[in-house]
Amino acid sequence: MTMTTTDMTTTGADVRTLPPPGSPTPARALGRISVAVYAEDLILRTGVVQQLRLRPEIELIPEEEADSAQVSLVVVDMVNEPAIQLLHRLQRNTATRTGLVVGYFEAGALQTLIEYGVAAVLRRGEADQDRLVHLVTAVAKGEGVLPGDLLGKLIDHVSSLHRSVLDPRGLSLSTLTTREAEMIRLVSEGYGTAEIAQKTSYSERTVKNVLHEVATRLNLRNRAHAVGYAMRHGLI
């Protein structure tokens, strides 16, 4: 099995991506989600790769194609400086969306992850095959996945900030319309597209279009990022 490495930091901590079994990577399969797995050690990445490689909806890709992956899955013990540097690098790649599998998670790191465009978080102890595939699929669709307690802590933390703390660029409370703010609030409470449509009496297509418009206008990467942005600026 061929192993390739890329440095997470200039100090030499490893991040590894693994191609699927076999020699050269076949052409990108139609309908499959391309995934690049990054981890700080072999044991962490091997466990995740073994879970994903047999799923037909997932295509694991090698390092030389990692920048073109639909989903970048980062697997770490904790959110430390090397992990943050990797997330920052991945954020600059508009071709990929990022999910995180983490062993130990400090609630204070959650807002940082959202600011770096992390769409989904899964605790490593809960990372069985089905949950990993669910996370990857949600990230590929531009949706967010957060454990309920972490989302609750994020809401408590950000809602404690004073509403007058605005972005240095001068954004105001008028950044979101009433309809946009309501939909993002429902996202923050864990509702999916169909549930938001039912609660707001709009079609699912309208809900998707509204959330897409907000993300495009404010240069946000996904729904979790939109929630973090809105709460950080006192918009919901």
Side-chain angles (χ1 to χ4, degrees):
M1 182 179 296
T2 302
M3 183 69 62
T4 55
T5 63
T6 302
D7 287 344
M8 279 183 71
T9 69
T10 55
T11 58
D14 286 339
V15 161
R16 295 174 170 88
T17 64
L18 183 71
S23 43
T25 304
R28 192 58 34 85
L30 183 63
R32 299 174 72 191
I33 301 170
S34 57
V35 180
V37 176
Y38 299 82
E40 57 190 1
D41 65 55
L42 179 61
I43 294 176
L44 290 181
R45 62 167 309 286
T46 298
V48 171
V49 167
Q50 292 293 346
Q51 297 273 26
L52 293 177
R53 68 163 23 127
L54 297 179
R55 293 296 291 254
E57 61 266 61
I58 303 297
E59 179 186 5
L60 294 169
I61 64 175
E63 182 181 26
E64 60 267 21
E65 297 182 29
D67 287 344
S68 66
Q70 292 170 264
V71 175
S72 294
L73 190 59
V74 177
V75 188
V76 294
D77 278 322
M78 62 184 300
V79 182
N80 52 20
E81 186 59 31
I84 290 173
Q85 289 185 22
L86 172 61
L87 294 174
H88 181 57
R89 178 172 71 79
L90 293 173
Q91 183 186 33
R92 297 197 298 266
N93 178 7
T94 58
T96 191
R97 298 178 183 274
T98 304
L100 178 74
V101 178
V102 62
Y104 171 73
F105 191 88
E106 294 180 345
L110 186 54
Q111 187 173 338
T112 299
L113 295 183
I114 291 175
E115 290 173 352
Y116 280 107
V118 175
V121 177
L122 179 64
R123 288 190 176 89
R124 201 171 71 235
E126 301 171 350
D128 60 21
Q129 186 180 89
D130 288 337
R131 287 191 177 97
L132 283 169
V133 172
H134 173 69
L135 179 145
V136 167
T137 303
V139 172
K141 292 179 178 178
E143 299 175 353
V145 177
L146 291 175
D149 63 311
L150 293 185
L151 182 58
K153 289 176 182 178
L154 174 65
I155 293 172
D156 291 342
H157 171 69
V158 180
S159 64
S160 69
L161 300 177
H162 197 281
R163 286 180 176 267
S164 64
V165 179
L166 299 176
D167 190 272
R169 292 171 292 179
L171 296 174
S172 67
L173 293 178
S174 62
T175 302
L176 297 179
T177 67
T178 301
R179 181 174 70 170
E180 290 169 344
E182 174 65 8
M183 289 186 183
I184 292 178
R185 183 185 65 78
L186 291 170
V187 171
S188 76
E189 294 175 0
Y191 293 106
T193 300
E195 295 169 310
I196 295 173
Q198 183 178 18
K199 287 181 174 294
T200 58
S201 299
Y202 290 106
S203 68
E204 291 186 37
R205 183 182 182 85
T206 297
V207 172
K208 291 178 181 178
N209 287 342
V210 168
L211 294 175
H212 177 74
E213 164 61 25
V214 171
T216 300
R217 187 174 73 244
L218 300 179
N219 196 29
L220 306 172
R221 290 176 60 85
N222 48 57
R223 294 186 181 190
H225 195 186
V227 169
Y229 174 93
M231 289 193 295
R232 188 166 65 254
H233 297 291
L235 303 179
I236 61 173

